[in-house]
Amino acid sequence: MNWNRLGCCALLLLAPLPALARGAHVNLIDYPSDETGWERAFALEDAVAGEFAALCADTFCEGDYSNYRVMEFRCAVLTHRGTVQRCVLVVAASELAVQPDTGQVQVDNGSWVCPVELQPGVPVEAFYASLEAPGGLVAPLPGLDHGIFDGLPECLRTQGRVG
């Protein structure tokens, strides 16, 4: 075996993941080229929003607001490897109240940016296949023991709020 090749492989195994994730990234919508993933990515976003709505009311969406919605779900793809590196879920919520004595509508709203914990480097097709499978939105993500929504309760309670 060629020692240069072996040394190179050993260095790749020892390199930290961020070092391997360098290079041009694109939105999942734009992989493998501009807007070619549009329909599939937005269908996934719609599915995420629908599943979120179904889970939200009975679980982690209790608190200051009664109206939570997924605004966007986006993922970064490392172009030259065709792998999903990270995803973010943006959630917004509101609460409206009518003041009986004035008729004014009071608005309280908030928004959260919730990172989705992923095993970086999942091939795009494997990522889609896992999430598009029946129950895929609540099943464990590729290479992990948790699903897409597992980090949301903590995010919605604390760190993710931006508004």
Side-chain angles (χ1 to χ4, degrees):
M1 171 160 230
N2 183 331
W3 285 105
N4 286 338
R5 184 176 294 171
L6 181 62
C8 175
C9 292
L11 285 176
L12 283 176
L13 291 174
L14 297 174
L17 188 57
L20 297 177
R22 290 191 182 129
H25 289 76
V26 296
N27 188 328
L28 186 60
I29 292 165
D30 294 321
Y31 182 81
S33 61
D34 287 352
E35 298 183 357
T36 56
W38 185 275
E39 287 182 28
R40 197 170 183 193
F42 278 115
L44 178 58
E45 181 177 79
D46 288 346
V48 167
E51 189 68 29
F52 174 87
L55 291 171
C56 179
D58 295 332
T59 56
F60 47 78
C61 291
E62 297 175 358
D64 296 338
Y65 304 103
S66 61
N67 183 23
Y68 287 81
R69 298 282 188 267
V70 168
M71 300 306 294
E72 291 189 279
F73 175 67
R74 292 292 182 271
C75 298
V77 175
L78 183 59
T79 308
H80 72 280
R81 293 191 185 271
T83 56
V84 178
Q85 299 299 309
R86 63 190 55 85
C87 296
V88 172
L89 196 61
V90 176
V91 177
S94 64
E95 188 66 40
L96 303 176
V98 175
Q99 294 301 310
D101 55 337
T102 65
Q104 289 201 305
V105 178
Q106 288 184 312
V107 178
D108 184 15
N109 58 30
S111 61
W112 296 262
V113 176
C114 298
V116 175
E117 187 181 338
L118 295 173
Q119 179 70 42
V122 174
V124 169
E125 281 306 313
F127 178 76
Y128 272 125
S130 70
L131 293 173
E132 292 172 340
L137 292 173
V138 293
L141 291 161
L144 298 174
D145 63 353
H146 61 270
I148 197 168
F149 297 119
D150 287 350
L152 285 180
E154 180 66 21
C155 180
L156 295 178
R157 276 194 302 273
T158 58
Q159 81 268 12
R161 186 160 181 188
V162 292

